[in-house]
Amino acid sequence: MRAITWRHAWGIIAARPWPFFASLSGYVVFFCLQLAPGLITRRIFDGLSGQAPAGFNVWTLIALMLALELGRVGTLYVAGVIFNVVSYSGEALLKGNMLRWLVTAPGPRRLPGSTGEAVSRFRDDPLETVGLTTILIVSPQIVTGLVGFAIMLAINATIALVVVPPVVATVVVTYLLTRNIQRYRKAAREATARVTGYIGEVFGAVQALKLAGAEGRVVGRLAELNEQRRAASIRDLMFSTGLGSFGANLAALGSGCVLLLAAQAMRAGAFTVGDFTLFASYLALASAIPAMVGQILAVERQSRVSIDRMRALADGAPPLALVARPPKVAPAPAATRADGLEVLSVRGLTRRHPGSERGIEGVDLTLRRGGFTVVTGPVGAGKTTLVRALIGLIPRDAGEIAWNGAPVADPASFLVPPRCAYTAQQPRLFSETLRQNVLMGADAAGLDHAIELAVFEDDVAGFEQGLETRVGTRGVTLSGGQLQRAAATRMFVRGTDLVIFDDLSSALDVATEQQLWRRLFAQDRSTCLAISHRREALRRADEILVLDEGRVVARGDAAALLVGCALFQRIWGEDQ
């Protein structure tokens, strides 16, 4: 598992190799320059005490030291700015790949938890994973510390070796406690995700909570989750900080012992003032070694938690999909008059949901240009599964789909605008303006006509800001009927050959529904597949498919089915 963590770190680096290595070079220079002040200080104090050989005078050395400090500051600034490119690019790479897998992978993608928890994984975990490359970029500090330690050994090995035990102790303790680091970080992340997810659920159910008078219980539950988050975050922070303090205190103890031994050596005449100042300067470099090693081990464990959480969000993706270079996708060729819909045929379409016997089996369907086909049946008959498998939102287990006689290998990429448009049973809107929700990048030339087709013109005119009205979270400011007609407008504005409704008119009154169907079928090229049990839709249908337990049990027009299909008679009779 440790190997996969470092492979993710390398994948982030490989996405922006030149900025990373340029920044790494800058940090190498910066840390190397940290060695110079100790040597210069030694020369300065030995010069002041008369023990330095002939050469630079004190003021020359002071000027050189100031120049080095300016060089260090400048190098650190430039290296930090360059590394921002790696850091932000790494976050974007991880987030982009998670999102790409969620929206393009075959089959339904189920979020591990609530939407709010998924947002938490998008927000926090990429930053934590990029932290692994951040710790790598400053790892040359270990090399600098080792060089400083070697210089100290050359001056007085006995005193220098006092630094070693704290280093070994810090590494051993950190390694032994890494499992706790991972456990506490995982608990803190999960507690944060529960708070975020709960807030998202509350925002999505405000009306239901108000009707139930549950505001007090909601606030109480949120306080409870926040308390759990606070406790988990404090444990995580205290453990990480305590581990860092352990290494720092051991290093400080070692430094103190070194300085005491150095003072005794000075008294015995075996140590110069310059040697002492050099040791004092390099102790900080040498004592940084255990802190850096411990930090690398801790960050690796914490990054492992974040990588596991992101991989769970991209469930089923290859091991290194999170850091894969995004493919250059050529735009799909636009549909032309030559491939406009004449007939869409479906043969033997089968889809069984994993772990259950529910779904559809062996469905045959033919949609002809200008026709209106309605799929109906009791709840759980497989109606929504049928249309979702048809257009590729879920993979089909068997069956063939052909557009004008040509096989459709990948319906998910073929049955899209301008060939086909789909409106789900529960359409979703974004927290933007009505115009942005309807167009979503489409040409606005046919917007007025689409609004009219959806019988939405009076509603839009009644909004104070018209199409610039903000619809709120998931369209919360709109009624159920307005939400459905906004979604219908979004579908119609794309001018597709085939439109597919999943119970679109369920929230419409009878008069509005009649207008919608009348206007739609006044179009010369309208071809429609609808899931519905509404009387108006069934009456207008050219063909009706009756599904039950995933199979077509009857097909025909309304008149024939009323005579020959008891299930259809029951559905028709229950329709209000």
Side-chain angles (χ1 to χ4, degrees):
M1 187 61 198
R2 181 171 285 112
I4 198 72
T5 304
W6 289 112
R7 288 172 70 188
H8 276 83
W10 174 249
I12 294 172
I13 294 169
R16 292 287 184 177
W18 294 114
F20 177 83
F21 288 108
S23 180
L24 181 64
S25 301
Y27 278 100
V28 168
V29 172
F30 169 76
F31 289 122
C32 287
L33 290 177
Q34 283 187 313
L35 296 169
L39 296 171
I40 294 173
T41 304
R42 182 189 185 199
R43 296 289 295 273
I44 290 174
F45 278 93
D46 281 348
L48 291 174
S49 62
Q51 297 180 9
F56 293 114
N57 62 42
V58 171
W59 294 109
T60 303
L61 293 172
I62 291 174
L64 179 59
M65 192 166 181
L66 288 174
L68 284 171
E69 286 299 313
L70 290 174
R72 288 176 62 216
V73 171
T75 302
L76 181 62
Y77 175 79
V78 172
V81 170
I82 295 174
F83 182 70
N84 282 338
V85 175
V86 181
S87 178
Y88 293 134
S89 297
E91 283 191 63
L93 177 68
L94 293 169
K95 292 177 181 178
N97 281 331
M98 278 193 290
L99 184 61
R100 184 176 299 106
W101 181 256
L102 283 172
V103 301
T104 63
R109 312 310 310 162
R110 293 189 180 275
L111 298 178
S114 65
T115 304
E117 183 177 348
V119 170
S120 171
R121 299 188 189 209
F122 268 93
R123 180 191 62 204
D124 299 329
D125 293 314
L127 179 61
E128 192 74 45
T129 305
V130 170
L132 197 57
T133 61
T134 304
I135 202 70
L136 287 177
I137 206 75
V138 296
S139 60
Q141 187 175 4
I142 296 177
V143 178
T144 304
L146 291 173
V147 173
F149 179 67
I151 295 173
M152 293 165 63
L153 281 174
I155 295 174
N156 191 310
T158 302
I159 298 176
L161 287 173
V162 176
V163 177
V164 175
V167 174
V168 175
T170 301
V171 172
V172 171
V173 171
T174 303
Y175 180 78
L176 293 176
L177 295 179
T178 49
R179 190 175 298 276
N180 289 333
I181 294 173
Q182 186 174 359
R183 185 173 72 251
Y184 289 144
R185 177 51 55 93
K186 183 178 180 181
R189 284 283 181 263
E190 289 176 348
T192 300
R194 284 194 293 271
V195 172
T196 307
Y198 187 70
I199 291 173
E201 290 175 352
V202 169
F203 285 162
V206 172
Q207 293 179 352
L209 294 174
K210 285 184 172 293
L211 289 173
E215 295 93 331
R217 289 190 292 275
V218 166
V219 173
R221 177 58 177 164
L222 183 58
E224 179 184 342
L225 291 175
N226 268 321
E227 177 60 26
Q228 294 173 4
R229 176 190 182 186
R230 183 190 67 81
S233 297
I234 288 176
R235 281 195 299 269
D236 179 42
L237 181 61
M238 288 186 65
F239 192 81
S240 300
T241 305
L243 193 59
S245 298
F246 172 78
N249 289 331
L250 273 185
L253 180 62
S255 300
C257 293
V258 168
L259 292 177
L260 287 174
L261 291 174
Q264 291 179 356
M266 286 179 62
R267 181 176 297 178
F271 225 54
T272 68
V273 175
D275 291 337
F276 184 84
T277 57
L278 183 141
F279 262 64
S281 174
Y282 281 7
L283 276 174
L285 300 178
S287 62
I289 296 175
M292 280 298 303
V293 172
Q295 194 173 2
I296 289 173
L297 291 173
V299 170
E300 187 274 332
R301 282 285 186 171
Q302 292 168 345
S303 298
R304 189 183 302 182
V305 172
S306 294
I307 290 171
D308 286 344
R309 284 165 51 84
M310 290 187 293
R311 291 179 67 188
L313 195 62
D315 183 33
L320 295 177
L322 290 173
V323 291
R325 297 295 296 273
K328 293 183 178 180
V329 180
T336 64
R337 284 288 181 184
D339 69 353
L341 177 62
E342 296 297 332
V343 59
L344 177 68
S345 58
V346 179
R347 296 292 177 266
L349 188 61
T350 300
R351 163 67 183 178
R352 290 294 181 186
H353 298 299
S356 75
E357 294 300 318
R358 299 183 61 186
I360 57 171
E361 184 172 350
V363 175
D364 294 339
L365 176 66
T366 300
L367 303 177
R368 301 188 183 280
R369 178 188 178 96
F372 180 26
T373 301
V374 173
V375 179
T376 191
V379 174
K383 302 183 295 295
T384 297
T385 300
L386 169 60
V387 296
R388 288 171 62 85
L390 170 63
I391 61 179
L393 289 181
I394 55 176
R396 63 187 189 273
D397 299 328
E400 297 178 353
I401 302 171
W403 179 279
N404 297 341
V408 176
D410 181 17
S413 60
F414 186 87
L415 295 178
V416 295
R419 297 185 183 94
C420 176
Y422 167 67
T423 296
Q425 188 174 11
Q426 296 178 335
R428 295 294 183 90
L429 299 184
F430 296 94
S431 304
E432 301 292 344
T433 66
L434 190 57
R435 180 186 298 275
Q436 289 171 317
N437 271 284
V438 168
L439 291 177
M440 293 184 66
D443 188 354
L447 180 56
D448 291 339
H449 179 60
I451 291 173
E452 182 181 357
L453 273 180
V455 198
F456 201 31
E457 66 274 19
D458 291 340
D459 299 85
V460 173
F463 295 142
E464 186 175 346
Q465 294 180 300
L467 286 171
E468 304 308 319
T469 300
R470 302 191 74 86
V471 302
T473 305
R474 297 183 180 180
V476 69
T477 63
L478 304 181
S479 69
Q482 289 172 335
L483 182 62
Q484 287 188 328
R485 281 175 287 151
T489 304
R490 180 166 60 193
M491 180 169 59
F492 293 145
V493 78
R494 280 150 177 79
T496 57
D497 288 342
L498 172 64
V499 292
I500 300 178
F501 302 93
D502 190 345
D503 206 13
L504 176 69
S505 60
S506 60
L508 303 184
D509 59 72
V510 175
T512 303
E513 182 187 10
Q514 289 176 343
Q515 277 188 292
L516 187 149
W517 295 123
R518 184 170 60 251
R519 292 180 183 183
L520 176 63
F521 292 108
Q523 309 299 304
D524 293 336
R525 302 179 66 249
S526 294
T527 306
C528 179
L529 172 64
I531 294 175
S532 182
H533 65 279
R534 297 288 291 264
R535 185 180 297 272
E536 184 65 27
L538 294 168
R539 182 183 294 117
R540 287 180 173 272
D542 299 309
E543 182 178 31
I544 301 171
L545 271 68
V546 183
L547 260 62
D548 190 22
E549 297 183 352
R551 296 177 178 273
V552 177
V553 295
R555 66 174 72 226
D557 58 23
L561 291 175
L562 272 173
V563 174
C565 181
L567 179 59
F568 180 74
Q569 293 171 15
R570 178 163 61 83
I571 295 169
W572 181 281
E574 291 175 353
D575 177 38
Q576 299 298 322

